[in-house]
Amino acid sequence: MEAQSSKWVFRMTPIRFLLLILAGVAAALAVYRLVVGLGATTNLNDHWPWGLWIGFDVLTGVALAGGGYSVALIAHILHIEKFNVIARSAMLTSLLGYLLVMIGLFLDIGQWFNFWRPFVSWGYHSVLFEVFWCVSLYTTVQVLEFGEIGTEKVAKSWHRLFAKAMPFLLIVGVLLPTLHQSSLGALYLTQVGKLHPLWWSPYIGLFFLMSSFFVGPAMVTVETSLAGRAWKHWVDVKIIRSLQRIGVTVMLMYLILKIWDLFARDAMQYVFAGGLESTMFLIEMGLGVIIPIIIFFIPWGKTRAGLITAGALVALGVIINRMNVVIVGMIGYSGAGYIPSAIEILVTVGLVAGGALAYCFICDNFRILDHQEEQHKVAQ
Amino acid sequence: MEKKAHEKEVTRRGFLKMMGTLGLVGATATALAGCGSKESAGGGGWLPQQYQAAGTWPTQVRGRVPLDPFSPSLSRDDKKCILCGQCLEVCQRVQSVFGYYELPVKNDVICVNCGQCSLWCPTAAITERDETQKVFDALQDPDKIVIVQTAPATRVALGEEFGLPPGSWVEGQQVAALKALGFDKVFDTNFTADLTIMEEGMELIARATGKKDPNKYPLPQFTSCSPGWVKFCEYYYPDLIPHLSTAKSPQQMFGALAKTYFAEKNNVDPKNIVSVSIMPCTAKKFEASRPEFNDAQTYWGLDEEIRDVDVVLTTRELARMIKAKGIDLPSLPEEKYDSLMGEGSGAGLIFGATGGVMEAAARTAYFVISGGQSAPILFNLTPVRGLEGVKEAELDIPGFGTLRVAVIHGLGNARPILEAVRRGESPYHFIEFMCCPGGCISGGGQPRTSLPPSDAVRQARLDMLYKKDDSYELRESHENKEVLELYKSFLKEPLSPLAYDLLHTEYTGRGSYLKALPLEKLS
Amino acid sequence: MAYVKFDTPGKGVLVDLTKCVGCGSCSLACKLWNDLGHDDEVPDQGPDAKLSDKNWTAVKFFALEKDNEPVYRFVKNQCLHCQHPACESACFSRAFQRTENGPVVYYPHLCVGCRYCMLACPFDVPKFQWDKSFPLVTKCQMCSSRVDKGEAPACVGVCPTNVMTYGDRDELLAMARKTIESDDKYIKHIYGEHEAGGTNWLYISDIPFEKLGFRTDVTTRPIQEYSHEFLKYTPPVIVAWGGLLSAMYVYTKRRKEVAGKDKKDVPM
């Protein structure tokens, strides 16, 4: 791997070329949307003020990028060193995820030139205010955290400074996500009576926080397997399994709390009531929580394939959960359906493609995957 | 010289450059200033002055009339409404319709379709439901025979739409314009006005001489040719419906005959006839849409619904059609109505004026009761003429005694009389009610005049009708030859069974659509 | 929990739905006064009447049955001007603020266009200018500039049948209670008295509110409180969790240094 050399490289492969096209199309569509407005480009309307971009790009994006803070907490705050091997890639994914979230959010607001307003006009009664501040600060923190990696290659004289700042950045970088991951869920507290009782709960903030925490290990698993294939850099199964053990522990707590909450609010009746909501809820919980837990405890769960499957299911489950909250859980109240427009979908796909490309580019040029000297080996 | 020109060119370019820069700077500054507004939203428009009042002060004029969006007569364009309140003013204070029922409402938007609101509306936000396209389409269709009738009052008002003074007589030009538009037959509602007199007059005689059951057909007899008035009676005085003459209005008589008598005489399929009427009235649109007015269909025993009158156009709509075709009405040569249903007497003509129906009926009733003589004084029955709201007259008829009549126009004027009838204190045998002030000449479909419509214009139109009546040879309905021919060859005689089938009707009590406020509660 | 605490509930409007004849004056007055324009797609009157960016108020027509007889009713919809507005608590840039006189007003220059207010409003009042390049949120301002001058909102002043009464909310509430208690035809409920913690627009009716398109399952707890219930934990969480993280960082690092002196790993 030429990460250490001062040359900039970007290997072009067919998949990367496809990603590039998707990202390019999305960029063009994004500019188009910024010029002509939301009504002309999205299927949003007064019944559906929030759709795919908020649901997937923002809510889901932030959750999936939760790997950064959970791994940072485990590896760097708690200093469980065996996880250092995956920490950099997890935190890079998180950084890219948050940048994409910021782009998604920027595309979704009507007065995009006014995006800075909450910095000066403090709507501190708003849960969104907390989300806004935390997400923007956390993205800044992550950029600074990346500075420690970046200065290994460019502006090397700053490296010591960044390295010195890391402890502080790491602590703030765990604190902020804790706040906004939960407040993203708490946004829906105001939807009392609107959001279907399977999802609306006074503890929805806690549920969002927990799921964003346990989706971290799952995402890291999936991501290291993808990276492993691309860069022939395989992380030890044991490390992945012990990371997932932490995730599964939180998932078990999540499951118990969820069941208790449903009983406490007398919402258990909706779980098996049939219909769209109950089906989607069962898929979300079954596929995304219960089956991964089972996989972990059966022998297959000790293999790489089993762990990757479990991780993918957990990530899928969180995606379904966020989309359920934003879309499925609101259909009953809204009375109208919502299918994202082609532009909404293409921009979302393009954002993800752009993120993947950025990940590839950074892995090609910086020490992300093999920064432990003892693991250092030349790829290819 | 050359150098000077060069300098000049440079200067011009510099000047243009400077102006362009200034323009850009100005536009940017304006845009920035616009973005920087710290105001809360809203309040950027205006409201009429009467609404700029302290919160609890009741303003005298406010709001507007409720209109049924599916009203067959009237439509309202909110883009033009300025909430001046004039529609409400005429509806409540002149016509006594709005505000005369208890709230909450039942299941109707109370409206007598008179269209006076459309005359009072300063921006024409309220106007008739435009049906000109239907007529244009019918005229285009080669399979259709489009026949048209023109009401007595349109010929003294249509000219105003083309710059002529109020009351200008354009009967001949109107016929010519209709023919130029492509109507196959142009007939006159005056013909059926005369017919109405025959039927309604005979009915009056029957009631007055006790030939009809006084419980079912009591006195006084009310006229029934003003559809706004009829609906008003159905709403507010449903108990007095038996007083209404069973004779249809001239428009509906014409419609029924168009698809029976005319169809038979000309051997055409009634299904192919499109019967159009030109009326000074928006309520006529509603009248034509009343479900019971399909007597031609019953006559022919058809399953498919055919309406006696297919389309009713107001005077304003006709003017619009004429203008759309680029026809200059005043310069047209005068033409005559087609025969069969085109002859009308002076009696039929003055149907357009308040008191006219009464006067016309009196002429024929006198003739019939007295056994064939006409009293010359009846040709100028002055007590029933003019714009007085309530007019009374007494006629001594040989062989009968004194016939006491009253003439009312404007629905607000009707209420005290109707209350008296209700109490059994009415001395009259016969009462003419016209919905609109001044009668049909100032109907809701007539050309717009001053705001509110002035009596001067009404008087000018009235004067022309009486002037023309005075100049006619034929001034009595029972002398209309085409009417006599109709009886001879088709209906047999007034009040015959066929006449009942085609020329008489029944009314619908609408008392259940509202709860009328008792009059004493209103003042 | 408002940004500024007010002692008085402010001005309000009492709507007596039994008096409405459906003339639409109120809706038009709103358009005139606020220069809103007309929406060809979304009517502001009739059976399909809806609030929209151009319809800050709408008069919806209902054909119903009462005592087995068909009746017509017309319901004027607009912002109810909550005592504790959900939109105010939802907006992260303070574009919505309740004023001392009662109206909940919107300041376009503060708006980012995130539409969280639309989600938060229990009555679905805020609407978005979907067809604009730089859209804003819109809603009834209760003609706050008129109210500040002591004038009734535009819609109130133009009503020919006195459907609406403008005044102090507590007086209106007393009036409404007296009306529904003294007349049998009224439903014994004042809509807006408790809904979403109380609104400055109050409704009385002779037809059950749920049949007239009103949301009767709405919480009586101010929506603000749901957010507050969550946000009040933010400062303690920052302090406690931040402190705990720092402590853990220092502790585990020290332990590691003590445990393995040969390790020369730097974080990350």
Side-chain angles (χ1 to χ4, degrees):
Chain A
M1 183 169 275
E2 51 282 82
Q4 275 298 69
S5 81
S6 57
K7 274 189 297 179
W8 297 97
V9 292
F10 189 72
R11 282 180 299 126
M12 191 51 76
T13 64
I15 289 179
R16 289 185 180 189
F17 187 68
L18 177 69
L19 292 177
L20 205 58
I21 290 172
L22 288 173
V25 169
L29 289 174
V31 171
Y32 176 66
R33 169 264 166 277
L34 291 179
V35 173
V36 302
L38 283 162
T41 46
T42 67
N43 278 352
L44 298 176
N45 52 49
D46 285 334
H47 295 290
W48 286 100
W50 282 7
L52 183 70
W53 286 351
I54 292 280
F56 188 83
D57 303 10
V58 178
L59 259 68
T60 312
V62 168
L64 295 184
Y69 89 100
S70 51
V71 172
L73 174 65
I74 295 162
H76 296 319
I77 307 275
L78 301 178
H79 290 99
I80 305 175
E81 279 180 14
K82 58 181 171 185
F83 296 123
N84 282 0
V85 61
I86 46 164
R88 275 197 171 183
S89 66
M91 286 169 75
L92 172 64
T93 322
S94 174
L95 167 63
L96 294 173
Y98 271 86
L99 288 174
L100 296 181
V101 166
M102 299 290 268
I103 296 171
L105 207 57
F106 185 72
L107 289 180
D108 198 68
I109 58 175
Q111 306 274 308
W112 47 265
F113 47 83
N114 214 10
F115 75 92
W116 47 271
R117 189 63 76 169
F119 287 127
V120 295
S121 181
W122 286 20
Y124 52 83
H125 288 320
S126 173
V127 179
L128 195 60
F129 183 72
E130 181 172 313
V131 173
F132 178 79
W133 270 98
C134 290
V135 169
S136 20
L137 284 181
Y138 181 52
T139 309
T140 315
V141 164
Q142 287 193 97
V143 171
L144 294 175
E145 284 176 352
F146 183 75
E148 197 245 354
I149 304 170
T151 49
E152 287 175 2
K153 179 159 181 156
V154 292
K156 288 176 184 166
S157 57
W158 291 85
H159 185 72
R160 279 180 62 83
L161 186 68
F162 276 108
K164 271 223 152 101
M166 274 314 273
F168 171 73
L169 292 177
L170 284 168
I171 290 165
V172 176
V174 173
L175 175 62
L176 290 172
T178 315
L179 293 173
H180 73 244
Q181 291 286 4
S182 56
S183 45
L184 273 174
L187 285 178
Y188 277 82
L189 285 173
T190 59
Q191 302 290 74
V192 54
K194 290 186 178 184
L195 181 61
H196 193 278
L198 280 173
W199 291 283
W200 190 91
S201 155
Y203 303 106
I204 187 169
L206 186 57
F207 288 135
F208 266 55
L209 177 66
M210 291 174 87
S211 52
S212 78
F213 187 86
F214 68 64
V215 80
M219 276 300 285
V220 169
T221 310
V222 174
E223 177 203 323
T224 51
S225 81
L226 289 172
R229 192 163 303 160
W231 284 274
K232 299 195 175 52
H233 170 95
W234 298 101
V235 175
D236 193 353
V237 178
K238 279 192 199 137
I239 293 180
I240 293 177
R241 181 162 167 86
S242 53
L243 186 64
Q244 276 210 6
R245 178 174 292 122
I246 301 170
V248 165
T249 312
V250 179
M251 276 164 79
L252 275 168
M253 285 155 59
Y254 176 83
L255 184 63
I256 292 164
L257 192 64
K258 195 106 191 176
I259 292 168
W260 173 80
D261 175 58
L262 287 171
F263 273 113
R265 286 185 298 112
D266 205 18
M268 212 52 198
Q269 47 176 320
Y270 302 110
V271 175
F272 301 104
L276 179 70
E277 286 90 355
S278 98
T279 310
M280 288 309 290
F281 182 78
L282 288 172
I283 291 175
E284 169 198 325
M285 292 305 288
L287 217 59
V289 179
I290 295 168
I291 292 176
I293 292 175
I294 293 171
I295 291 177
F296 187 81
F297 287 110
I298 60 172
W300 192 45
K302 293 193 173 62
T303 66
R304 189 180 291 276
L307 288 171
I308 291 172
T309 310
L313 284 176
V314 171
L316 186 67
V318 170
I319 294 174
I320 295 174
N321 169 259
R322 298 303 194 262
M323 299 311 280
N324 278 348
V325 169
V326 179
I327 296 173
V328 175
M330 296 296 288
I331 287 175
Y333 175 78
S334 168
Y338 160 76
I339 294 165
S341 72
I343 293 182
E344 285 176 89
I345 293 169
L346 283 173
V347 167
T348 300
V349 170
L351 277 177
V352 176
L357 278 176
Y359 183 88
C360 294
F361 175 77
I362 292 170
C363 281
D364 278 356
N365 291 284
F366 294 93
R367 289 197 312 153
I368 301 298
L369 300 170
D370 57 344
H371 57 102
Q372 302 287 27
E373 266 80 359
E374 57 267 34
Q375 286 186 353
H376 190 91
K377 50 193 168 192
V378 178
Q380 292 153 328
Chain B
M1 195 67 194
E2 203 172 310
K3 200 186 171 196
K4 227 179 175 182
H6 181 69
E7 264 178 14
K8 205 178 174 185
E9 197 181 87
V10 170
T11 312
R12 185 184 292 154
R13 185 187 285 171
F15 175 75
L16 287 174
K17 261 185 180 172
M18 189 183 74
M19 292 313 286
T21 313
L22 277 176
L24 272 176
V25 168
T28 314
T30 315
L32 286 174
C35 290
S37 165
K38 303 277 193 289
E39 292 292 301
S40 63
W46 66 283
L47 272 181
Q49 188 272 336
Q50 71 254 38
Y51 303 119
Q52 318 285 352
T56 46
W57 292 354
T59 54
Q60 287 187 11
V61 181
R62 53 176 174 174
R64 59 183 194 179
V65 292
L67 263 189
D68 183 349
F70 301 106
S71 164
S73 300
L74 296 162
S75 68
R76 175 163 55 200
D77 184 353
D78 269 6
K79 288 173 187 148
K80 296 180 188 163
C81 178
I82 55 170
L83 291 173
C84 66
Q86 294 306 298
C87 50
L88 209 63
E89 192 74 3
V90 64
C91 192
Q92 183 161 14
R93 294 188 212 279
V94 177
Q95 298 296 58
S96 73
V97 173
F98 180 85
Y100 282 72
Y101 46 87
E102 269 182 27
L103 301 177
V105 295
K106 293 191 170 185
N107 59 331
D108 194 12
V109 179
I110 306 303
C111 173
V112 299
N113 308 72
C114 71
Q116 283 297 306
C117 49
S118 75
L119 288 186
W120 284 50
C121 182
T123 61
I126 301 181
T127 195
E128 65 282 336
R129 184 163 299 287
D130 190 302
E131 291 176 290
T132 53
Q133 194 53 48
K134 271 191 202 168
V135 177
F136 277 127
D137 291 346
L139 291 171
Q140 288 285 316
D141 190 337
D143 297 334
K144 299 288 183 197
I145 295 160
V146 189
I147 67 172
V148 63
Q149 54 170 322
T150 65
T154 64
R155 66 201 75 187
V156 292
L158 180 65
E160 294 165 33
E161 288 269 353
F162 298 87
L164 298 177
S168 297
W169 181 258
V170 291
E171 183 188 272
Q173 289 90 335
Q174 181 178 248
V175 174
L178 289 165
K179 291 198 168 160
L181 285 170
F183 286 95
D184 296 299
K185 292 283 179 192
V186 181
F187 291 135
D188 198 353
T189 316
N190 293 8
F191 163 78
T192 36
D194 284 332
L195 186 61
T196 303
I197 289 301
M198 298 300 284
E199 295 291 323
E200 194 168 335
M202 293 306 163
E203 184 189 352
L204 173 66
I205 293 163
R207 289 198 199 210
T209 54
K211 284 187 194 139
K212 284 203 164 205
D213 177 0
N215 291 319
K216 276 170 86 181
Y217 300 97
L219 285 173
Q221 177 173 304
F222 298 163
T223 60
S224 63
C225 34
S226 170
W229 142 249
V230 169
K231 201 177 180 198
F232 178 83
C233 186
E234 291 173 334
Y235 271 137
Y236 291 100
Y237 296 91
D239 49 315
L240 301 185
I241 284 177
H243 291 269
L244 279 170
S245 162
T246 60
K248 286 182 185 174
S249 73
Q251 166 178 273
Q252 291 309 131
M253 285 195 182
F254 185 96
L257 291 176
K259 296 192 180 183
T260 54
Y261 178 59
F262 171 81
E264 249 176 47
K265 291 280 168 200
N266 289 275
N267 207 13
V268 290
D269 187 343
K271 286 191 290 241
N272 286 338
I273 297 175
V274 177
S275 160
V276 179
S277 62
I278 311 296
M279 292 285 144
C281 182
T282 52
K284 287 285 171 193
K285 287 175 182 273
F286 165 76
E287 184 185 63
S289 76
R290 291 175 74 121
E292 64 269 26
F293 286 143
N294 58 348
D295 287 335
Q297 179 192 344
T298 316
Y299 177 84
W300 294 107
L302 298 171
D303 292 330
E304 176 194 348
E305 189 186 40
I306 58 168
R307 306 296 308 163
D308 291 344
V309 175
D310 293 294
V311 190
V312 179
L313 299 181
T314 60
T315 317
R316 296 192 294 261
E317 284 171 283
L318 173 61
R320 219 174 292 144
M321 285 183 75
I322 295 171
K323 288 171 189 168
K325 289 287 170 194
I327 298 168
D328 179 31
L329 183 92
S331 66
L332 287 178
E334 296 190 23
E335 287 188 45
K336 286 203 171 342
Y337 284 105
D338 291 310
S339 56
L340 190 72
M341 297 162 79
E343 182 176 273
S345 72
L349 177 68
I350 58 172
F351 259 60
T354 167
V357 177
M358 176 59 63
E359 194 171 337
R363 290 177 194 176
T364 293
Y366 192 98
F367 176 84
V368 174
I369 297 173
S370 68
Q373 27 177 324
S374 325
I377 190 187
L378 284 178
F379 292 123
N380 285 304
L381 191 56
T382 42
V384 297
R385 293 186 178 183
L387 289 169
E388 195 76 28
V390 179
K391 293 167 283 184
E392 294 171 291
E394 292 186 355
L395 287 172
D396 289 321
I397 302 179
F400 176 79
T402 306
L403 186 75
R404 279 181 293 274
V405 298
V407 171
I408 320 288
H409 60 120
L411 294 173
N413 294 327
R415 285 185 179 266
I417 305 290
L418 291 163
E419 293 294 326
V421 174
R422 197 175 250 175
R423 288 193 303 268
E425 292 168 6
S426 166
Y428 308 112
H429 295 98
F430 190 34
I431 309 178
E432 178 200 302
F433 290 96
M434 285 292 154
C435 173
C436 294
C440 306
I441 48 96
S442 194
Q446 291 284 66
R448 294 186 170 88
T449 61
S450 57
L451 295 168
S454 71
D455 274 352
V457 171
R458 292 189 182 113
Q459 194 63 55
R461 293 173 183 167
L462 285 179
D463 288 346
M464 181 53 76
L465 284 184
Y466 285 120
K467 191 178 141 199
K468 286 288 166 182
D469 167 43
D470 213 29
S471 71
Y472 277 19
E473 292 261 308
L474 174 65
R475 297 186 68 186
E476 289 166 305
S477 302
H478 52 269
E479 288 181 348
N480 184 323
K481 287 184 198 64
E482 287 184 352
V483 169
L484 296 174
E485 170 63 25
L486 168 70
Y487 277 117
K488 200 173 135 208
S489 68
F490 191 65
L491 292 171
K492 308 305 172 212
E493 59 182 7
L495 307 184
S496 70
L498 183 57
Y500 261 110
D501 285 347
L502 295 180
L503 308 182
H504 289 256
T505 186
E506 286 172 353
Y507 301 97
T508 316
R510 292 175 200 270
S512 65
Y513 293 138
L514 52 71
K515 197 166 178 209
L517 272 175
L519 277 189
E520 61 270 15
K521 226 180 162 181
L522 285 159
S523 52
Chain C
M1 258 174 307
Y3 293 108
V4 188
K5 281 213 180 353
F6 304 117
D7 295 335
T8 56
K11 297 285 182 184
V13 176
L14 172 61
V15 186
D16 184 345
L17 293 177
T18 66
K19 289 186 182 170
C20 183
V21 295
C23 71
S25 299
C26 48
S27 179
L28 185 65
C30 178
K31 286 182 182 293
L32 287 175
W33 181 250
N34 295 306
D35 195 18
L36 298 181
H38 296 263
D39 198 331
D40 293 333
E41 306 278 307
V42 187
D44 63 323
Q45 295 159 54
D48 302 319
K50 272 190 198 77
L51 297 180
S52 74
D53 57 334
K54 295 190 188 72
N55 304 340
W56 290 7
T57 185
V59 185
K60 195 170 161 76
F61 166 82
F62 290 88
L64 303 152
E65 280 215 344
K66 182 175 160 56
D67 307 330
N68 295 321
E69 283 191 4
V71 290
Y72 290 172
R73 286 294 176 271
F74 306 89
V75 179
K76 180 185 185 295
N77 290 300
Q78 76 295 309
C79 174
L80 291 163
H81 297 275
C82 298
Q83 294 267 290
H84 309 282
C87 55
E88 183 187 60
S89 69
C91 183
F92 67 154
S93 57
R94 298 184 69 162
F96 289 96
Q97 294 176 31
R98 215 211 103 172
T99 59
E100 190 172 3
N101 284 332
V104 179
V105 300
Y106 169 74
Y107 296 97
H109 71 285
L110 295 178
C111 181
V112 171
C114 74
R115 310 183 294 287
Y116 184 40
C117 49
M118 299 172 70
L119 238 68
C121 177
F123 308 107
D124 298 320
V125 166
K127 300 292 173 196
F128 202 56
Q129 295 171 324
W130 293 105
D131 53 351
K132 296 216 170 149
S133 278
F134 304 116
L136 290 164
V137 173
T138 61
K139 80 166 190 66
C140 158
Q141 304 283 308
M142 202 173 146
C143 294
S144 62
S145 58
R146 291 174 66 96
V147 168
D148 290 345
K149 282 193 285 179
E151 291 175 12
C155 53
V156 175
V158 301
C159 180
T161 54
N162 290 318
V163 171
M164 290 162 280
T165 315
Y166 167 76
D168 289 318
R169 182 181 188 263
D170 21 18
E171 284 171 24
L172 295 176
L173 209 50
M175 186 195 290
R177 203 166 289 127
K178 214 173 127 193
T179 310
I180 62 172
E181 276 166 12
S182 63
D183 194 335
D184 276 349
K185 72 172 181 246
Y186 287 99
I187 301 295
K188 306 295 171 224
H189 179 76
I190 303 168
Y191 194 90
E193 184 179 11
H194 301 298
E195 276 73 9
T199 62
N200 278 26
W201 279 64
L202 305 165
Y203 285 78
I204 53 176
S205 166
D206 65 335
I207 305 271
F209 285 103
E210 56 271 20
K211 288 189 183 172
L212 296 172
F214 285 84
R215 200 180 152 205
T216 45
D217 64 341
V218 68
T219 173
T220 54
R221 195 178 168 204
I223 302 288
Q224 291 191 337
E225 282 183 17
Y226 289 90
S227 299
H228 182 71
E229 197 62 29
F230 173 82
L231 286 172
K232 70 180 183 193
Y233 293 114
T234 302
V237 162
I238 291 176
V239 173
W241 184 226
L244 185 64
L245 286 172
S246 310
M248 282 194 301
Y249 180 86
V250 172
Y251 169 73
T252 53
K253 187 173 184 193
R254 178 84 188 123
R255 193 179 60 174
K256 189 188 66 176
E257 277 167 8
V258 171
K261 287 194 166 39
D262 53 280
K263 290 272 180 184
K264 48 190 188 310
D265 180 47
V266 280
M268 174 148 286

